[in-house]
């Protein structure tokens, strides 16, 4: 759909998607809701459960299933589907953290401890990238320590964690976005400005990226495609770009890939720059 083409163009992802559909050796840990993996637009996709936990939706009408399926569509839906379908050749390692309840009026949430366990399990299952869009309650000292240990584990294993900055319209950071191994993602509108509800702060400003989070079209668990916005979906664009870059430059380590995405040292703003996928590709290819 044209809105998705505009979103890909805004962060210069189009050429990257033409170069590669993603390598199966690049695992993406989806720490989110379960996925309606029987959707026809996931035909041929490698969607696998993590640590013996079910990856597929049990209640197709649940908010958790809808959220996980929408994000999965941005990443691994088949090319030609209504979704952005950034890296359909990559392996999606699904680790659900959201309960499938009948209430779809509230965004799904998870405990900090459950998020920490999910990060550990995705990394241990071979994920090179962990896509995290979990809203959590305010962590205690103990649960914040668990999150820090999980994020330290990801960094030690050479994995990158991409985390949604959140949609509360606040200025600040969380136990997740403060971690130096995390790339926080802010949602931008089609005019290239941060969405009003997107969280900003020193952590996103120094180490994060902006990405399309306005009027994104993707898959739902049943029925026609739907349109949503927010930082959860912006984060998936950054994850997809990283997955394609790692598919094309398999031997590049996480530090160099982060450097290629960073767009210059010493940022001091609370607003991160937009992802520029083509610039990152040129940097890694030695062209800039």
């Amino acid at each position: 759909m044209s809105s998705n083409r505009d979103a890909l163009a805004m962060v210069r992802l189009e050429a990257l998607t033409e170069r590669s559909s993603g390598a199966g050796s690049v695992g993406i840990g989806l720490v989110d809701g379960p996925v309606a993996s029987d959707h026809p637009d996931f035909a041929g996709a490698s969607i696998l459960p993590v640590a013996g936990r079910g990856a597929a939706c049990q209640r197709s009408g649940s908010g958790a299933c809808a959220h996980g399926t929408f994000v999965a569509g941005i990443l691994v839906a088949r090319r030609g589907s209504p979704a952005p379908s950034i890296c359909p050749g990559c392996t999606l390692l699904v680790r659900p953290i959201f309960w499938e309840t009948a209430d779809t009026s509230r965004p799904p949430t998870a405990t900090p401890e459950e998020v920490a366990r999910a990060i550990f399990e995705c990394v241990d299952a071979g994920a090179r990238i962990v896509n995290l869009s979990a809203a959590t309650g305010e962590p205690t000292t103990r649960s914040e320590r668990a999150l820090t240990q999980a994020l330290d584990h990801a960094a030690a294993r050479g994995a990158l964690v991409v985390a949604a900055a959140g949609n509360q319209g606040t200025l600040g950071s969380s136990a997740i976005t403060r971690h130096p191994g995390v790339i926080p993602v802010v949602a931008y509108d089609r005019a290239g400005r941060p969405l009003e509800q997107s969280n900003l702060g020193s952590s996103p400003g120094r180490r994060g990226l902006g990405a399309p989070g306005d009027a994104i079209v993707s898959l739902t668990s049943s029925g026609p495609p739907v349109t949503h916005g927010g930082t959860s979906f912006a984060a998936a664009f950054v994850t997809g770009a990283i997955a394609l870059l790692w598919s094309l430059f398999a031997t590049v380590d996480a530090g160099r890939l982060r450097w290629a995405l960073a767009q210059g040292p010493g940022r001091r703003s609370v607003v991160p720059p937009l992802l520029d996928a083509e610039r990152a590709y040129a940097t890694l290819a030695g062209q800039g």
Side-chain angles (χ1 to χ4, degrees), residues 42-228:
F42 289 131
S46 179
I47 300 176
L48 305 175
V50 170
R53 300 170 188 265
C57 299
Q58 301 302 311
R59 301 181 63 163
S60 62
S62 71
C65 176
H67 197 278
T69 300
F70 193 96
V71 175
I74 295 173
L75 293 166
V76 300
R78 64 174 180 83
R79 292 280 170 86
S81 79
S85 313
I86 297 171
C87 51
C90 293
T91 298
L92 194 67
L93 302 167
V94 180
R95 175 38 169 97
I97 54 169
F98 299 141
W99 291 98
E100 291 191 87
T101 66
D103 184 4
T104 60
S105 63
R106 298 168 63 183
T109 61
T111 67
E113 292 86 353
E114 185 69 5
V115 174
R117 283 193 295 271
I119 294 168
F120 265 110
E121 291 175 2
C122 283
V123 172
D124 289 346
R128 297 191 75 180
I129 313 150
V130 176
N131 187 91
L132 181 59
S133 53
T136 68
E138 187 63 30
T140 63
T141 300
R142 180 177 178 179
S143 62
E144 185 162 346
R145 187 182 306 116
L147 281 171
T148 299
Q149 289 172 344
L151 295 167
D152 287 347
H153 179 66
R157 293 285 292 271
L160 287 173
V161 177
V162 177
N167 303 304
Q168 293 76 42
T170 62
L171 187 65
S173 59
S174 69
I176 294 171
T177 59
R178 281 194 297 271
H179 193 278
V182 171
I183 300 174
V185 180
V186 167
Y188 273 62
D189 65 20
R190 294 309 172 87
R193 298 174 301 225
L195 290 181
E196 185 175 345
Q197 70 265 31
S198 187
N199 295 349
L200 303 173
S202 59
S203 296
R206 288 197 311 268
R207 295 181 284 97
L209 291 167
D214 180 24
I216 305 301
V217 179
S218 189
L219 309 181
T220 189
S221 48
S222 60
V226 293
T227 302
H228 288 307

Side-chain angles (χ1 to χ4, degrees), residues 4-25:
N4 286 338
R5 287 197 295 272
D6 292 344
L8 292 169
M10 186 169 77
V11 289
R12 299 217 293 166
L13 246 172
E14 292 174 307
L16 207 55
T17 61
E18 291 170 2
R19 292 186 183 100
S20 175
S21 60
S25 58

